[in-house]
Amino acid sequence: EKGDWKKLSLEDKKGLYRASFCQTISEMDAPDGEWKSTLGGILVGLALSCWWYMFMVRFVYDDLPDSVVNPERIEAQIDRMVAMRVNPITGFASNYDYEKGEWKK
C-alpha cells in the first residue's frame, strides 16, 4: 500500500481498495431489502395484537350492561335527564321545549 500505485494493475488496486473499504459507494447505496423484514415484523405485530384483542373480548371482558345496549332504557334515561333539567344551556335540556313538552326542531 505504501508503494507507487501507478505501478499496480487495476485488479491489484481493486483488491487493495476492497481490503480497506469492503464496499464501493454504489454497493453501499444499493437497496438491501431491509424494508421487507421491517414490514413483515409490523404486520406480524398487527396480527398478534388483533388476536390478543379477540381473546380479551371473548374470554376476559363481560358483556355490555343492559343500560348501554337496551334502547328502551336509553330513552328512559334521556327522559329522566330532561325531567331533571340536566345541563339546560348546552346539553339535552337545551334541545327540549318544556312549554310544549316536545323536542325542539
Side-chain angles (χ1 to χ4, degrees), residues 56-90:
M56 295 294 280
V57 167
R58 176 91 166 113
F59 296 109
V60 177
Y61 297 144
D62 292 332
D63 292 333
L64 291 174
D66 191 41
S67 62
V68 175
V69 294
N70 188 347
E72 296 165 355
R73 296 200 58 178
I74 293 172
E75 186 177 338
Q77 184 178 12
I78 292 172
D79 290 341
R80 184 169 182 268
M81 289 174 73
V82 167
M84 291 175 58
R85 296 178 187 245
V86 174
N87 202 358
I89 306 293
T90 59

Side-chain angles (χ1 to χ4, degrees), residues 1-9 13 16:
E1 283 186 25
K2 295 188 180 201
D4 189 16
W5 280 63
K6 294 179 183 175
K7 294 179 184 177
L8 295 174
S9 69
K13 289 179 185 177
L16 286 174

Side-chain angles (χ1 to χ4, degrees), residues 23-104:
Q23 282 185 331
T24 62
I25 293 175
S26 61
E27 289 174 346
M28 286 187 337
D29 292 340
D32 58 355
E34 183 182 355
W35 67 272
K36 295 174 189 175
S37 60
T38 303
L39 181 63
I42 289 171
L43 292 176
V44 166
L46 285 173
L48 289 174
S49 63
C50 287
W51 280 104
W52 181 253
Y53 174 75
M54 289 190 293
F55 170 78
M56 295 294 280
V57 167
R58 176 91 166 113
F59 296 109
V60 177
Y61 297 144
D62 292 332
D63 292 333
L64 291 174
D66 191 41
S67 62
V68 175
V69 294
N70 188 347
E72 296 165 355
R73 296 200 58 178
I74 293 172
E75 186 177 338
Q77 184 178 12
I78 292 172
D79 290 341
R80 184 169 182 268
M81 289 174 73
V82 167
M84 291 175 58
R85 296 178 187 245
V86 174
N87 202 358
I89 306 293
T90 59
F92 285 118
S94 67
N95 296 323
Y96 191 78
D97 190 355
Y98 288 97
E99 295 173 1
K100 295 181 183 175
E102 61 186 25
W103 292 100
K104 294 178 183 176

Side-chain angles (χ1 to χ4, degrees), residues 6-21:
K6 294 179 183 175
K7 294 179 184 177
L8 295 174
S9 69
L10 184 60
E11 293 302 319
D12 291 337
K13 289 179 185 177
K14 286 183 180 179
L16 286 174
Y17 182 85
R18 287 276 185 190
S20 297
F21 297 107

